[in-house]
């Protein structure tokens, strides 16, 4: 597109965002048609979250509904919160109770957790989501602006200085986003809200309580006084005439509906909460013997967040302020000065590390005399924890190392597994300014993420017969495969405890280890490889474990505990690499889909005592020989003795019934409202078939390639079967699993070095 076309698109975007200011009566008519635009703060925040919809995720082995709002969809996922879905859902449940006024009005939502658990992302996600929602027709947010020019003498005009007020420059917006309905007297407003809520098909009524903000009240009172002096009978109509009062929409952002108190913000409690007086202005404004609210800065966190959301970031830095917030949720009022108060409508959220709790409990031994008891009673705590899902940790680590922001939303575990295992290419600039592409091999991110997750799991709740890696896989998939059987997490004696995710290796430590490896100057594995530097899974696992004792973030006991947990992770990752090499070795020997489908049809016909149509259109009985060949050669489960006399024995018939027919019947039941055909079933939906597709072991390799010698793999003699097979395997690994040539070389060498020990 041309530059002019981009400008036109920007114009269209802004035109769709902003409306022309409207008269108060027009705003009320709009409300009666679309009541949701009048929502109070907590209800509006809830509506913004729900408007983004939900998706299904698996965390800690259970399916959960997750609000897409927390995936930061309006910002391409850049600040998505990964995991902690239960915590976020509980936060939304709190909002729902607060919005409905069901007993939690006085609560301050407290989100606590260690570093790198997503708390800061939540703040950014809220800002992005609310900003974009306010740009939509259903999310419009409104306030008022005033013009008192011409209502009295020019020296009495409502202004910050002595500049004459003219035209658009004469309009002054409420500095705290006051709700337009606060202009109405309380009894009229009550009647109007009753009609709005009658039209509003929602279980949560819209509430607009409180009065005009002090700045707007000053304008209102000034206009009312001028028109009363002039003998005006319809004072409200005169004061709210479109020449004096307009309703305008605004885009929610920090400072306009969202107040953020950062850890580095300073000042007295009053300055941080609502703002400060500008003393020079008091002398220039007509204050009539008192402080004028027009001379107030309104730059405190509650002033900025009035109308929607107030966030206290790193709340331990503002512990002195929290007690000043005690009555804000239930009284919805703060004071600018002894004689000037301000009503606020905002949802209070505080975010902290665990050190805030230590401060709050410093007087706990005094029990009933604890001066912080009232504050603690008002805090509604939700704890963020470290991720305990391999897929989420893998995604987070990739984000830390690259510029990826996509939120993974797979259609199946197989698709998710591919994303977890795939390689990463990172551009690294050295001290001389040269840029080199560094290759993070397949399974490397998976290995680092798995080690971090395993360090966070409670070892006391690992089911008998399993290890921590298998517990981690249970949390990620919700099941394990025991042979051909899929066993769901509910069938294991596994408990989810408070210790799962409350400590462990943080992603920032793992990220720094990988970053250090990426910046090493030369390849440590095989310097003569004609390709780029490669980071392998074992490099990362060894480096993470080696640095634990020197990292100040870990105690000596934690370092020892985490170091011991690296072994099962190494074993699991080696198994994954071994499968890749085997699949590449035996690629041409895999069972084709047509053969598998023919076997399934044969077994189904055999079990249902039906005939099959052959190539000549004749109906014939199932072929025992075809089933036998498949079961012996491809499944590898039986041998000739199971078919003596030409008949399959009990073991074979039981296998066909239990493993094949049961899976087909399950699929037929799931499609019970449709016509069921065997051809509709994907072989991968039958566990035993899924296992055999592309699955081989070293006995298959030995039987297929009689002259193959894994001990020659590093430098196989030219013209040997090993040399030919290696060349083909490396190419297959690159094509099938995304390996670079160097990564395929190094991975296959590592696997063959272990295989050669047991080859004979």
């Amino acid at each position: 597109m041309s530059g002019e076309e981009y400008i036109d698109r920007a114009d269209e975007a802004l035109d769709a965002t902003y409306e022309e200011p409207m008269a108060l009566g027009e705003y009320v008519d709009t409300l009666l048609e679309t009541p949701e635009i009048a929502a109070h703060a907590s209800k509006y925040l809830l509506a913004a979250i729900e408007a983004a919809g939900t998706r299904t995720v698996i965390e800690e082995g259970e399916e959960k509904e997750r609000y897409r709002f927390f995936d930061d969809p309006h910002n391409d996922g850049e600040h998505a919160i990964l995991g902690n879905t239960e915590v976020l859902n509980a936060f939304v449940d709190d909002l729902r109770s607060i919005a409905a006024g069901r007993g939690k009005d006085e609560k301050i939502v407290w989100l606590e957790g260690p570093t790198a658990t997503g708390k800061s992302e939540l703040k950014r996600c809220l800002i992005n989501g609310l900003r974009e929602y306010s740009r939509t027709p259903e999310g419009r947010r409104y306030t008022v602006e005033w013009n008192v020019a011409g209502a009295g003498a020019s020296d009495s005009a409502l202004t910050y200085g002595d500049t004459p007020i003219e035209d658009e420059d004469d309009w002054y917006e409420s500095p705290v986003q006051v709700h337009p309905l606060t202009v109405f007297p309380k009894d009229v407003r009550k009647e109007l809200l009753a009609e709005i809520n009658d039209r509003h098909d929602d279980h949560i009524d819209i509430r607009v309580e409180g009065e005009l903000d002090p700045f707007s009240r000053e304008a209102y009172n000034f206009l009312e006084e001028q028109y009363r002096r002039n003998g005006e009978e319809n004072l409200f109509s005169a004061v709210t005439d479109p020449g004096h009062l307009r309703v305008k929409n605004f885009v929610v952002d920090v400072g306009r509906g969202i107040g953020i108190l950062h850890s580095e913000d300073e000042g007295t409690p009053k300055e941080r909460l609502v703002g400060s007086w500008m003393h020079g202005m008091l002398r220039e404004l007509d204050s009539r013997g008192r402080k004028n609210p027009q001379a107030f800065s309104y730059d405190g966190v509650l002033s900025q967040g009035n109308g929607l959301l107030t966030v206290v970031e790193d709340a331990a830095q503002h512990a002195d302020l929290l007690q000043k917030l005690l009555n804000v949720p239930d009284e919805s009022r703060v004071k600018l000065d002894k004689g000037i108060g301000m009503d606020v409508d905002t949802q209070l959220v505080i975010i902290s590390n665990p050190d805030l709790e230590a401060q709050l409990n410093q007087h706990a031994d005094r029990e009933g005399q604890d001066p912080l008891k009232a504050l603690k009673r008002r805090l509604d705590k939700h704890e963020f924890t470290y991720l305990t899902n391999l897929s989420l940790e893998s995604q987070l680590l990739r984000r830390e190392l690259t510029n990826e922001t996509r939120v993974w939303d797979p259609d199946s575990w197989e698709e998710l597994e591919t994303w977890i295992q795939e390689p990463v290419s990172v551009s690294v600039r050295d001290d001389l300014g040269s840029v080199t592409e560094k290759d993070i091999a397949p399974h490397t991110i998976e290995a680092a993420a798995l080690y971090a997750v395993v360090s966070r799991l409670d070892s006391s709740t690992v089911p008998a017969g399993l290890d921590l890696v298998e517990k981690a896989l249970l949390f990620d998939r919700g099941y394990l495969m025991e042979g051909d059987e899929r066993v769901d997490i509910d069938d294991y004696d596994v408990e989810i405890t408070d210790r799962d995710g409350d400590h462990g290796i943080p992603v920032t430590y793992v990220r720094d280890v990988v970053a250090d490896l990426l910046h090493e100057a030369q390849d440590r594995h095989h310097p003569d490889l004609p390709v780029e530097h490669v980071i392998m899974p074992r490099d990362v696992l060894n480096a993470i474990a080696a640095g634990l004792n020197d990292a100040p973030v870990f105690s000596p006991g934690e370092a020892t505990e985490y170091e011991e947990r690296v072994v099962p992770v190494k074993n699991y990752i080696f198994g994954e690499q071994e499968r890749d090499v085997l699949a590449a070795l035996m690629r041409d020997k895999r069972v084709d889909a047509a053969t598998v489908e023919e076997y399934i049809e044969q077994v189904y016909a055999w079990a249902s005592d039906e005939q099959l149509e052959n190539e000549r259109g004749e109906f014939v009985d199932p072929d025992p020989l075809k089933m036998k060949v498949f079961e012996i050669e491809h499944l590898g489960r039986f041998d000739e003795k199971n078919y003596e006399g030409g008949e399959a024995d009990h073991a074979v018939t039981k296998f066909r019934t239990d493993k094949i027919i049961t899976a087909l019947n399950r699929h037929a039941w799931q499609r019970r409202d449709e016509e069921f055909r065997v051809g509709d079933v994907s072989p991968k939906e039958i566990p035993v078939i899924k296992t055999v597709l592309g699955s081989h072991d070293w006995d298959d390799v030995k039987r297929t390639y009689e002259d193959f010698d894994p001990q020659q793999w590093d430098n196989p003699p030219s013209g040997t079967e090993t040399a030919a097979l290696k060349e083909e395997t490396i190419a297959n690994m690159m094509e099938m699993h995304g390996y670079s040539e160097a990564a395929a070389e190094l991975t296959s060498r590592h696997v063959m070095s272990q295989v050669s020990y047991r080859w004979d």
Side-chain angles (χ1 to χ4, degrees):
M1 288 192 299
S2 67
E4 195 64 36
E5 287 174 318
Y6 277 112
I7 291 175
D8 289 342
R9 286 188 60 185
D11 285 336
E12 291 171 4
L14 289 179
D15 289 344
T17 298
Y18 295 101
E19 300 173 355
E20 288 294 322
M22 66 181 85
L24 184 61
E26 184 182 352
Y27 170 72
V28 171
D29 289 337
T30 303
L31 276 188
L32 294 172
E33 293 297 324
T34 54
E36 59 271 11
I37 63 174
H40 50 284
S42 52
K43 180 176 172 60
Y44 183 89
L45 177 53
L46 177 65
I49 293 171
E50 292 179 336
T54 62
R55 64 185 178 95
T56 302
V57 298
I58 294 179
E59 290 180 27
E60 295 180 325
E62 297 180 4
E63 281 195 358
K64 301 170 183 177
E65 285 300 307
R66 176 182 175 85
Y67 291 98
R68 291 183 181 272
F69 180 92
F70 300 113
D71 294 337
D72 197 15
H74 301 294
N75 206 38
D76 297 326
E78 181 177 356
H79 298 297
I81 306 158
L82 301 182
N84 281 296
T85 294
E86 281 195 358
V87 179
L88 295 171
N89 287 349
F91 168 55
V92 177
D93 289 342
D94 272 0
L95 287 179
R96 193 170 287 111
S97 296
I98 293 169
R102 291 196 294 263
K104 285 201 171 184
D105 299 57
E106 81 284 359
K107 291 292 186 179
I108 299 173
V109 178
W110 175 19
L111 298 168
E112 184 208 62
T115 57
T117 51
K119 303 185 307 299
S120 295
E121 300 304 313
L122 173 63
K123 179 196 70 177
R124 298 185 182 97
C125 203
L126 287 167
I127 295 170
N128 293 336
L130 292 171
R131 181 197 299 122
E132 295 307 316
Y133 182 64
S134 71
R135 296 179 188 272
T136 65
E138 62 274 13
R140 290 279 196 263
R141 210 68 178 142
Y142 295 88
T143 188
V144 298
E145 55 183 358
W146 298 89
N147 185 344
V148 299
S154 61
D155 61 353
S156 299
L158 187 62
T159 177
Y160 281 119
D162 55 4
T163 304
I165 300 174
E166 295 180 20
D167 301 326
E168 286 298 316
D169 292 338
D170 296 340
W171 289 96
Y172 291 88
E173 184 178 334
S174 163
V176 293
Q177 309 79 229
V178 72
H179 198 294
L181 292 187
T182 56
V183 175
F184 285 95
K186 280 190 174 181
D187 55 343
V188 178
R189 189 196 319 167
K190 182 178 179 181
E191 185 178 344
L192 174 56
L193 283 170
E195 183 174 353
I196 289 172
N197 286 320
D198 283 342
R199 299 188 180 202
H200 187 43
D201 185 20
D202 196 329
H203 65 285
I204 299 177
D205 283 346
I206 294 169
R207 304 195 311 265
V208 180
E209 298 164 345
E211 304 290 341
L212 281 171
D213 65 279
F215 181 97
S216 299
R217 173 56 60 184
E218 192 78 8
Y220 186 100
N221 288 343
F222 174 78
L223 291 167
E224 184 182 51
E225 182 178 349
Q226 297 301 316
Y227 282 110
R228 182 184 294 111
R229 287 178 179 177
N230 292 336
E232 177 65 49
E233 294 183 1
N234 300 316
L235 283 177
F236 186 79
S237 296
V239 171
T240 60
D241 181 88
H244 293 309
L245 174 69
R246 300 191 307 203
V247 177
K248 62 176 293 187
N249 79 299
F250 65 94
V251 173
V252 169
D253 212 332
V254 176
R256 302 194 74 192
I258 301 177
I260 306 289
L261 188 62
H262 300 91
S263 58
E264 65 272 18
D265 289 340
E266 298 178 345
T268 65
K270 182 62 65 66
E271 289 172 333
R272 283 176 284 164
L273 280 176
V274 285
S276 59
W277 291 103
M278 299 176 286
H279 295 285
M281 296 300 302
L282 290 172
R283 293 192 298 270
E284 300 194 18
L285 293 170
D286 178 16
S287 300
R288 296 186 290 283
R290 61 177 176 78
K291 290 181 179 179
N292 193 309
Q294 300 162 244
F296 200 76
S297 68
Y298 297 99
D299 58 4
V301 65
L302 290 174
S303 299
Q304 296 183 33
N306 186 47
L308 189 47
L309 176 68
T310 296
V311 178
V312 179
E313 183 184 57
D314 196 7
Q317 302 298 321
H318 299 285
D320 63 320
L321 197 66
L322 297 183
Q323 292 192 74
K324 305 292 184 181
L325 291 171
L326 273 181
N327 297 324
V328 172
D330 45 357
E331 294 183 6
S332 299
R333 188 171 179 81
V334 292
K335 283 190 173 183
L336 310 185
D337 200 58
K338 292 180 181 178
I340 304 175
M342 180 174 74
D343 292 319
V344 291
D345 174 28
T346 188
Q347 179 55 54
L348 272 168
V349 175
I350 68 170
I351 299 174
S352 79
N353 291 327
D355 49 355
L356 175 62
E357 187 157 22
Q359 292 187 48
L360 294 176
N361 289 330
Q362 60 183 306
H363 305 297
D365 57 340
R366 295 169 59 178
E367 297 180 355
Q369 302 301 314
D370 184 352
L372 298 177
K373 187 174 182 179
L375 172 60
K376 290 190 285 187
R377 183 181 63 80
R378 279 179 168 83
L379 294 174
D380 199 1
K381 180 180 173 184
H382 301 285
E383 293 187 70
F384 276 70
T385 61
Y386 288 123
L387 299 176
T388 54
N389 274 53
L390 169 60
S391 55
L392 291 171
E393 186 70 14
S394 299
Q395 185 178 177
L396 180 59
L397 185 54
R398 289 176 71 96
R399 283 167 168 261
E400 292 285 332
L401 294 169
T402 69
N403 292 322
E404 293 182 15
T405 61
R406 174 177 63 100
V407 175
W408 293 356
D409 188 10
D411 294 325
S412 64
W413 164 255
E414 287 75 23
E415 185 176 25
L416 183 59
E417 188 175 40
T418 299
W419 295 342
I420 294 170
Q421 297 175 352
E422 66 186 2
V424 177
S425 181
V426 180
S427 298
V428 179
R429 186 182 298 274
D430 63 22
D431 294 338
L432 300 177
S434 299
V435 177
T436 306
E437 285 294 314
K438 301 296 178 74
D439 179 23
I440 301 178
H443 301 292
T444 303
I445 296 293
E446 177 186 21
L450 182 59
Y451 189 15
V453 168
V454 162
S455 75
R456 302 166 186 169
L457 298 180
D458 184 356
S459 60
S460 67
T461 62
V462 178
L466 303 184
D467 60 20
L468 281 168
V469 168
E470 288 167 316
K471 180 177 177 178
L473 296 177
L474 269 177
F475 275 10
D476 208 38
R477 304 174 184 175
Y479 68 91
L480 291 176
M481 296 299 296
E482 293 188 356
D484 301 329
E485 295 291 336
R486 168 175 167 153
V487 184
D488 292 333
I489 190 171
D490 293 338
D491 297 322
Y492 290 101
D493 185 20
V494 57
E495 294 182 30
I496 300 172
T497 71
D498 292 339
R499 287 181 54 80
D500 287 316
D502 75 337
H503 69 293
I505 300 174
V507 68
T508 47
Y509 171 79
V510 177
R511 174 203 63 199
D512 293 345
V513 168
V514 178
D516 288 343
L517 291 174
L518 285 169
H519 283 86
E520 288 185 0
Q522 64 180 4
D523 197 306
R524 302 170 313 287
H525 309 287
H526 196 68
D528 61 345
L529 286 175
V531 282
E532 73 278 8
H533 175 78
V534 182
I535 305 295
M536 298 295 291
R538 61 187 181 276
D539 300 331
V540 174
L541 293 176
N542 288 337
I544 293 173
L548 291 171
N549 285 303
D550 297 328
V553 70
F554 306 115
S555 68
E558 287 176 325
T560 300
E561 178 187 359
Y562 302 156
E563 192 173 7
E564 292 172 351
R565 297 188 180 192
V566 74
V567 174
V569 177
K570 285 184 174 181
N571 293 339
Y572 174 79
I573 295 299
F574 175 79
E576 296 292 287
Q577 294 175 309
E578 186 178 29
R579 272 189 286 276
D580 287 352
V581 174
L582 273 168
L585 269 166
M586 302 293 288
R587 183 179 187 181
D588 294 336
K589 307 301 179 183
R590 290 183 300 173
V591 186
D592 62 88
T595 302
V596 175
E597 290 173 4
E598 182 184 32
Y599 171 72
I600 293 173
E601 289 181 347
Q602 292 280 339
V603 172
Y604 189 79
W606 165 83
S608 55
D609 199 20
E610 295 178 356
Q611 290 187 317
L612 295 167
E613 187 176 1
N614 63 18
E615 296 176 353
R616 297 188 296 274
E618 302 168 343
F619 285 90
V620 296
D621 292 332
D623 190 338
L625 181 59
K626 287 183 177 180
M627 289 185 281
K628 170 185 172 181
V629 169
F630 189 92
E631 289 158 355
I632 292 177
E633 295 187 2
H634 299 312
L635 294 179
R637 286 178 163 268
F638 308 105
D639 52 35
E640 291 290 344
K641 67 181 181 182
N642 295 103
Y643 303 88
E644 292 180 357
E647 293 291 334
D649 65 11
H650 175 71
V652 175
T653 58
K654 188 175 189 314
F655 165 79
R656 293 174 183 174
T657 301
D658 293 351
K659 303 297 185 182
I660 307 297
I661 300 302
T662 299
L664 290 171
N665 288 340
R666 183 183 303 114
H667 188 78
W669 171 252
Q670 293 167 349
R671 293 175 55 99
R672 58 191 178 277
D673 294 331
E674 308 171 32
E675 181 183 356
F676 172 70
R677 295 173 299 175
V678 176
D680 293 333
V681 183
S682 167
K684 290 187 177 182
E685 294 183 44
I686 302 175
V688 67
I689 298 298
K690 177 181 176 180
T691 302
V692 77
L693 285 175
S695 176
H696 296 92
D697 58 26
W698 294 107
D699 288 337
D700 296 327
V701 176
K702 188 179 295 186
R703 185 170 56 250
T704 305
Y705 303 105
E706 295 181 357
D707 295 329
F708 170 65
D709 184 357
Q711 296 182 11
Q712 297 178 342
W713 189 267
D714 285 5
N715 293 290
S718 177
T720 63
E721 186 175 44
T722 303
L725 191 56
K726 178 178 179 179
E727 181 179 354
E728 185 177 335
T729 299
I730 297 296
N732 286 340
M733 290 176 70
M734 294 169 66
E735 183 179 343
M736 296 168 65
H737 304 294
Y739 282 84
S740 66
E741 183 179 353
E745 174 75 32
L746 294 170
T747 300
S748 62
R749 286 187 182 189
H750 178 51
V751 170
M752 291 302 177
S753 69
Q754 302 301 311
V755 171
S756 62
Y757 290 134
R758 59 179 190 266
W759 188 249
D760 293 331

